[in-house]
Structure formats: C-alpha cells, structure tokens
Amino acid sequence: MAFQTPRRAAGRAKYAILAVVMLCTLFYVRDSATAAYNSAVIPIQAHLPGGLTSSRPGDKTNVYPHKHPIDTLIGAAEQTFEGLLKKESHDLRSAAAAYRKRRGRHPPPGFDVWYSFAVENKAVMVEDFFDQIYHDLGPFWGVAPSVMRREAWDYEMTINVRNQNASAGSDWFWTQIWLDLTKTIQHMLPDMDLALNSMDEPRIVVPWEEINGYMEKERASRKMADPKEVVSNYQTLTQHPDSDIEMAQKWWEGKQDISHFWDIASRGCHPDSLARKAAHMTNFNDTPSISLAHTLPHTYQGYVSNFTLSADFCHQPDLQGLHGIMIEPLTVSSTKHLFPMFGGSKLPTNNEILLPAPMYWNNDERFSGGPNHGSDWVSKQNKAIWRGVATGGLNKPDNWKGFQRHRFVAMTNSTQVSGAEHWTQIPQNWALPPSEYDIAAQQEGKLGEWIGTWADTGFTDLMCLEQEPHGTCNYTDPYYAVHLGMKMSEQFNRKYLPDIDGNSFSGRYRGFLLSTSLPIKATIFREWHDSRLVPWKHFVPMDNRFMDFWGIMEYFVGYHGEGIKKAGHDREAERIALAGQEWANRVLRKEDMQIYVLRLLLEYARVSDDRRDKMGWVQDLL
Ligand SMILES: *[C@@H]1O[C@H](CO)[C@@H](O)[C@H](O)[C@H]1NC(C)=O
Ligand SMILES: *[C@@H]1O[C@H](CO)[C@@H](O)[C@H](O)[C@H]1NC(C)=O
Ligand SMILES: *[C@@H]1O[C@H](CO)[C@@H](O)[C@H](O)[C@H]1NC(C)=O
Ligand SMILES: *[C@@H]1O[C@H](CO)[C@@H](O)[C@H](O)[C@H]1NC(C)=O
C-alpha cells in the first residue's frame, strides 16, 4: 500500500500546509434544495448578482462605463452579503424550515441539540454556511452504509467515537489536533469512525461519471418522510463494526503510475469540460504562456467575479502548467475509489470530506499571527507584503517556471519588471499586464518603478531540489534573493497581504482575515469556511494567473505619475480589511468550527446508518 508516513513530507513541506481532499467539480446550487454535481459545462457568460455579465477588461459594453469594475464588484458583494444576512434564522423552528428548504430532507436526529449548542455559542445561523457539508457528503447517499462503516473503521488512521468518548490510535499531530476538536463535542456525538487523510496531498478523485451516478442515487433518496414514521435515534456501533463486509481495492496510484497529477485531478471534471478535452501538457520547461483566455467565466472586466469558479480548474486547462500541484506535487497517493475520508482542504475535484484544517483549530502562531492582529489602518505602511518558502510542489531545474509562488514573486520584483519593460531582461515565468488593464504606470514605462514603491515580496527559502545551505538554489538564484522571514504580526504593519497557495492551501488565510490588513487571495483549494466569506466584501479575490494583481493594486494605491494620475481607494481597502476581520470574528471562531463539525458529524452518522432514509429530527412537525 502506498501509505507514506506523514513525517516524510514534513521536511520540504514543513511550512506549507497541506491536506487535501476534493470533490466533484462543477458544483452548482441549482435551486434552493439542490446541490447538483451533474450540471453541464460552464456557461461562457458568468452572471453577476446585479445582472451584469462577465466581459473582458476594457470591454466598452460595460454597463457602467465610467465606473471602475472593482467598484461594481464591491457594490455587488454588498448586495450578496445583505442577502445572506437576511436568511438568518432566529429560532429552532425557522432553522429547521430553512434546512428542509435547502436540503430537501428532514434535519438529522440531534438537530435540536446542535441548534442549542450553536445558539449558546452565538453563531450566526445561516443554513448556506453549511453547504460544503452537503457537497462533501452527497455522493455517500449512493454508497451502502455498511460499506461506509467498514471502510472508515478499517482505515489506517482514525478517530473513533463510542459511547460519547472520542479516541484515536495514532499520535500523528494532526490526528491529535482533530481529536482535540472532536472531544470538545463528543458528548453530543453518536458512535462513528472517522478515517483521516494522513498525507498532505489530495487522495480521492472519483471520475465525474461515477460521482454523477452516486449523485443520482442521492437525488432519488431525497425526500421528506412522514414525521410519524421518522426514526430519531442513531445506531450504536460495536468496537469493530461490519467486519464481515467486503471492501473494494483502493488501488492507490503513486507518482510511478501516472505521468502527471493533472490526469488524476481532471478526471473529476465534467466529460465536456476543457480540462478533460484540452491536450495534457508534458513540457514545463518553457516560459509558461499566461493569457486571460480561460478567465472569462469567472471574471468581470478582468477581475474575479465568481471566486468559487475561479478555483475550479475544470474550465481552465492552462492551470495545469501554472500551479505546482499540477506540475509536480511532492507526493501522489490517489484513488478512484469513493470511501469516507476526512481532510483539511481539497481541490474542487477531490471527494474527501472537509474538516477545519488542524492549524486553524490549533491557533498556531506561525499561521495565525498570534494575539497581535495589526495596528490601525492609518499607521500601516502602504505596501503589499509576502514572505514564504518556494513550495507549490517539487520544483526542479526544468519545471519551476509555472510554480505559482515563483510567478508571483517574479512579477512583483521591480528589477525584473523594469527589465522587461525596457527589453533588457526577458521574463522567465510571467508576462507584462495585458493592455486591457490600462495600467497607468505601464503606459508611462514606469511599471517596475511603481511596483518598487509598494511591493515587498520574497522567498525565505528557494526549496532547491538539491538542498543548499542558506536556502539558495543554483537554478533559481539568478531570479530570486533569499530574504529573512518576517513574523505575521510584523507583516500586519503593511496594508496588503497577498495569499498564494503552497503545496496545498495556505494555512495563513484565517490569520490574515482576522488581521486589520487586507488579504488578496488566489487559490485552487477548497476549505470548510468557503461559503461564509463573500469576496470583495471580506477579502479581495485574485485570479490564479495573478494578471489582475497590478490592476487591483492600482485601484487601491492609485498612481501619481508625471502625466497620468489615478486616485487610489484607500477607504475601500480599509473597509474590506475591517469588514473581513469583523466577520471572521463572528463566523470563523473556534466555536464556529465546533458548530460546523458537530453538524457535519451528525450528517455523517446519519448517512452511515442503515436506516438513513427514515432518520430525521421532526419534533417541530409532530
Ligand atoms: C459561480 O458560478 C457557478 C457556476 O456557474 C454558479 O452556480 C454560482 O451561482 C456562481 N456564484 C456566484 C456568486 O455568482
Ligand atoms: C475513552 O476512551 C479511551 C480510549 O479507549 C479510554 O482510555 C478512556 O478511558 C475513555 N474515557 C472514558 C471517559 O470512558
Ligand atoms: C546545481 O547543483 C546540483 C547539485 O549540486 C548540480 O547537480 C547541478 O548541475 C547544478 N546546476 C547548475 C545549473 O549549476
Ligand atoms: C529580483 O530579480 C533580480 C533579477 O532580475 C534578482 O537578482 C533579485 O534577487 C530579485 N529580488 C528578489 C527580492 O527576489
């Protein structure tokens, strides 16, 4: 079996955070009660809440010709957020009604206990905040409960709950952190076994066609049983449940079995998607071609208008050469076999079940920034700060150019940008902003100079294939200096905090949101909290190509050249930074993680129960 001990990854990957899971790809909420996996291909025009359609940067059909597209996006985000708040439930009855409306089933047994726990802990009660749970668990309505139980119990790393007591056989630190979280709610939990992903990387990618079959069963099973016939308790489990059940082979695929991880990741995409249809790249040695061709569905005039979609690579075949995990992950151990495994983050096509990542529960200072969340906005430097390790995957002399962190650090390096503007240095791994973005500094031939006034980005370790002392690397040294690290609390003395994926999702994100600075986020990973955050209201979303970054910065800091002058939007930046912080303090607290996990585990216990079709909480209907 291809199980790797978690510690093997700890060397190279120790700063970046990992864990991954995934789900199926095109995840549309088709109507209030339905989260469908089998929706078809992405429409070319993505619709904004205000009825705007996406269009290219500089498109003169802009319905507000004089308005900056970011102003439009911020306005739309306000509306989206207000709409979300209007859905808040204030009593058990209306929470149960909101549940039935959105999920098409009765709430799970114990819903009243969950509700009281959430209220005691001052949760903002919006049913949509739990959407990820239904996305993750949906396919399991197509798997026999006895098989789920057996596979969970049998897995190599588990948390086991019996008689309201959670325990774990493994002392791997992530397991211990998740156990700690589970123990805080164990008195409300039925018996269950949770299989945990012990690795950093995504593991399960079931082909789209199969997931679609599971989801058809899910939809067929979705009904509101007669309250008089509803079963409102959970099964109890023996120590080794269902030991007579046969399990399918998982056929773990390692690096030796595949040419590229993209082959695995993209099989979870719709058969008609570009990811499945476009040619699979094999050469990552050349300067990557960076274009906006595939950004149209998720952008509005060049800026991200649908953040969920921007993380979905199924319509973005060029991302196979623009993200380290797609180019060459550190390790691969994947399966097509659907079984219930929990993890801390995942790609949109992974089928793991998301828990809050361990470092979020642990409040590790390295990721949270500690108790100092930053000074007042006015006293911060007007700069974008990024420090990190050159992770993303296994960078090598012939593949590093597409790695996301390498691209980002190079394109914010004023020396390199000036060199490119003046044709003295050809960019190795990035491209100048397309003219549609209308960047004033670029028009004056001063893009590099201007970037130098606000960008402070750099690696603290180049993560060389052959490790070198002091973090240098003979094949990337010509393009990158090695900087000293900077504590997150120190970074918070700058206004702008770009956040770029490492080997997996970036575990700093929650710390960034909780700070008084403004996170600017690009990612292809999903996390438990995604449906609680509204892009452009609580953080600034960025495309995974980062071609919008200069435009985002121009919007916020402005440009004061000799010829062209553009006003900045410092107020807007401050407003989003503080709204994000305030919201994170309401919906991303440790209590919110407990509330999320309790809801998740009640649902998980129901779908693992032989009587699941008849189970529910219906006291409000009797
Ligand atoms: C994002 O795009 C998906 C797929 O087209 C769509 O279902 C979803 O409603 C969009 N979200 C927003 C906020 O527009
Ligand atoms: C919970 O389970 C663990 C492991 O089996 C055991 O050591 C512990 O005594 C149990 N605690 C309670 C309160 O039953
Ligand atoms: C970099 O160093 C490695 C290991 O010492 C060596 O094999 C390789 O040839 C060097 N590459 C370059 C471009 O100097
Ligand atoms: C910026 O790029 C130049 C090469 O043009 C390189 O020498 C320098 O170390 C880079 N700076 C940083 C901060 O990486």
Side-chain angles (χ1 to χ4, degrees):
M1 172 152 36
F3 169 58
Q4 321 251 4
T5 73
R7 277 162 199 92
R8 72 152 301 297
R12 287 185 64 92
K14 80 173 175 238
Y15 308 86
I17 326 316
L18 319 183
V20 184
V21 190
M22 304 197 188
L23 238 270
C24 196
T25 156
L26 308 176
F27 171 46
Y28 300 156
V29 178
R30 193 197 269 155
D31 61 52
S32 58
T34 329
Y37 279 78
N38 73 336
S39 48
V41 201
I42 303 261
I44 287 300
Q45 299 272 302
H47 291 272
L48 279 170
L52 304 165
T53 53
S54 79
S55 51
R56 291 198 168 279
D59 185 339
K60 300 300 179 250
T61 61
N62 185 348
V63 280
Y64 301 109
H66 305 300
K67 205 168 172 181
H68 194 290
I70 292 181
D71 285 324
T72 308
L73 290 163
I74 290 175
E78 293 289 347
Q79 285 177 26
T80 303
F81 184 58
E82 271 171 37
L84 210 50
L85 286 185
K86 282 206 191 100
K87 294 186 176 180
E88 195 174 344
S89 309
H90 296 283
D91 56 64
L92 176 57
R93 225 165 228 287
S94 59
Y99 182 103
R100 291 192 182 93
K101 178 157 183 262
R102 198 160 180 85
R103 312 297 170 204
R105 301 177 188 276
H106 292 303
F111 187 75
D112 51 346
V113 174
W114 173 82
Y115 182 84
S116 308
F117 180 72
V119 168
E120 277 159 27
N121 287 289
K122 303 191 168 42
V124 180
M125 186 66 67
V126 173
E127 183 56 33
D128 307 34
F129 290 175
F130 302 94
D131 283 354
Q132 189 67 42
I133 293 174
Y134 300 88
H135 183 66
D136 296 352
L137 291 180
F140 292 101
W141 288 89
V143 177
S146 55
V147 174
M148 283 181 69
R149 294 191 300 262
R150 173 70 209 268
E151 298 211 319
W153 177 78
D154 195 69
Y155 198 63
E156 62 218 13
M157 194 173 282
T158 54
I159 288 175
N160 314 95
V161 184
R162 294 290 183 279
N163 203 8
Q164 303 186 330
N165 179 18
S167 59
S170 153
D171 60 2
W172 170 228
F173 77 94
W174 281 7
T175 306
Q176 288 298 317
I177 296 168
W178 275 325
L179 177 63
D180 183 65
L181 163 55
T182 310
K183 282 188 106 40
T184 64
I185 53 172
Q186 64 184 4
H187 55 287
M188 296 173 280
L189 291 178
D191 290 355
M192 64 181 82
D193 297 310
L194 312 179
L196 303 175
N197 184 5
S198 54
M199 287 180 58
D200 297 340
E201 283 82 8
R203 308 291 298 276
I204 309 176
V205 188
V206 183
W208 187 94
E209 291 85 337
E210 272 177 52
I211 284 292
N212 192 43
Y214 290 122
M215 289 307 290
E216 274 168 15
K217 292 189 184 158
E218 189 277 332
R219 279 186 290 278
S221 74
R222 200 186 296 159
K223 60 178 193 312
M224 230 73 87
D226 179 345
K228 289 198 261 341
E229 276 151 34
V230 163
V231 176
S232 60
N233 61 350
Y234 289 95
Q235 67 195 349
T236 55
L237 296 180
T238 57
Q239 284 305 324
H240 303 174
D242 307 283
S243 42
D244 53 332
I245 298 282
E246 293 236 3
M247 290 187 299
Q249 270 285 354
K250 297 196 176 66
W251 303 112
W252 294 105
E253 302 149 294
K255 270 194 179 182
Q256 68 284 357
D257 305 317
I258 53 161
S259 52
H260 289 103
F261 184 66
W262 181 256
D263 302 342
I264 290 181
S266 65
R267 71 185 175 217
C269 295
H270 189 282
D272 292 336
S273 65
L274 290 171
R276 290 273 293 265
K277 295 202 143 167
H280 289 200
M281 288 171 64
T282 51
N283 173 5
F284 300 96
N285 196 15
D286 301 332
T287 297
S289 102
I290 299 176
S291 96
L292 303 180
H294 299 300
T295 62
L296 212 52
H298 62 261
T299 55
Y300 169 68
Q301 308 231 339
Y303 298 95
V304 173
S305 55
N306 187 327
F307 187 62
T308 314
L309 204 51
S310 78
D312 185 338
F313 50 81
C314 290
H315 67 285
Q316 308 181 70
D318 55 333
L319 292 187
Q320 66 184 295
L322 298 176
H323 203 289
I325 195 168
M326 300 303 181
I327 298 168
E328 177 145 12
L330 290 183
T331 51
V332 175
S333 174
S334 299
T335 179
K336 289 180 183 162
H337 177 65
L338 183 67
F339 75 102
M341 179 163 67
F342 290 78
S345 85
K346 63 180 180 178
L347 295 169
T349 56
N350 277 123
N351 300 100
E352 278 106 323
I353 303 163
L354 287 180
L355 289 169
M359 71 284 291
Y360 291 152
W361 177 252
N362 216 21
N363 250 336
D364 187 334
E365 177 161 359
R366 199 148 48 94
F367 301 114
S368 70
N372 175 359
H373 300 296
S375 49
D376 285 351
W377 186 259
V378 286
S379 61
K380 289 178 198 281
Q381 297 174 32
N382 207 12
K383 290 199 164 170
I385 174 80
W386 190 88
R387 285 291 181 280
V389 177
T391 52
L394 190 65
N395 82 72
K396 294 176 175 174
D398 63 356
N399 79 1
W400 64 271
K401 290 177 187 160
F403 277 57
Q404 67 276 13
R405 291 184 163 190
H406 290 81
R407 291 190 292 109
F408 185 76
V409 173
M411 58 176 270
T412 48
N413 175 327
S414 65
T415 316
Q416 287 196 35
V417 175
S418 292
E421 280 185 294
H422 305 116
W423 293 94
T424 56
Q425 196 183 352
I426 308 289
Q428 292 292 306
N429 59 345
W430 57 278
L432 286 165
S435 61
E436 297 100 308
Y437 281 103
D438 233 6
I439 304 293
Q442 185 181 21
Q443 286 158 22
E444 297 198 334
K446 292 186 174 163
L447 186 63
E449 205 178 297
W450 173 66
I451 287 172
T453 64
W454 54 260
D456 181 1
T457 62
F459 286 124
T460 57
D461 185 332
L462 296 181
M463 276 309 197
C464 209
L465 186 61
E466 303 285 340
Q467 205 180 338
E468 295 179 16
H470 314 299
T472 56
C473 183
N474 62 1
Y475 52 89
T476 46
D477 279 341
Y479 314 104
Y480 303 99
V482 176
H483 288 249
L484 289 176
M486 189 191 286
K487 284 197 151 184
M488 261 169 70
S489 54
E490 171 66 21
Q491 296 184 25
F492 295 163
N493 294 329
R494 322 288 189 281
K495 287 181 180 171
Y496 302 96
L497 304 172
D499 192 31
I500 315 286
D501 291 338
N503 295 332
S504 165
F505 76 108
S506 155
R508 314 167 189 177
Y509 188 35
R510 179 168 175 267
F512 280 7
L513 286 161
L514 284 166
S515 80
T516 51
S517 297
L518 178 62
I520 302 176
K521 173 87 173 166
T523 187
I524 58 170
F525 290 95
R526 292 269 192 96
E527 297 186 62
W528 75 280
H529 57 221
D530 290 345
S531 64
R532 318 186 151 214
L533 298 169
V534 178
W536 296 110
K537 170 71 186 173
H538 302 126
F539 69 98
V540 169
M542 173 163 63
D543 179 64
N544 283 296
R545 292 159 198 78
F546 317 137
M547 298 303 276
D548 47 349
F549 184 59
W550 302 285
I552 289 169
M553 290 306 296
E554 184 187 83
Y555 173 83
F556 287 125
V557 305
Y559 179 72
H560 309 283
E562 277 149 32
I564 313 176
K565 302 206 187 302
K566 282 191 183 175
H569 294 80
D570 189 68
R571 274 268 169 78
E572 282 77 359
E574 178 181 10
R575 235 185 27 224
I576 300 171
L578 296 183
Q581 183 189 40
E582 191 194 328
W583 191 237
N585 278 320
R586 289 187 68 196
V587 303
L588 301 186
R589 304 162 306 154
K590 291 182 80 170
E591 292 87 335
D592 296 302
M593 299 181 207
Q594 293 169 297
I595 293 161
Y596 183 91
V597 173
L598 179 56
R599 167 75 86 91
L600 169 65
L601 296 185
L602 293 179
E603 296 288 7
Y604 172 66
R606 171 165 66 173
V607 73
S608 309
D609 196 305
D610 294 324
R611 306 159 304 160
R612 64 192 183 186
D613 290 319
K614 286 186 296 189
M615 289 168 69
W617 180 84
V618 289
Q619 270 161 37
D620 59 331
L621 304 179
L622 292 172

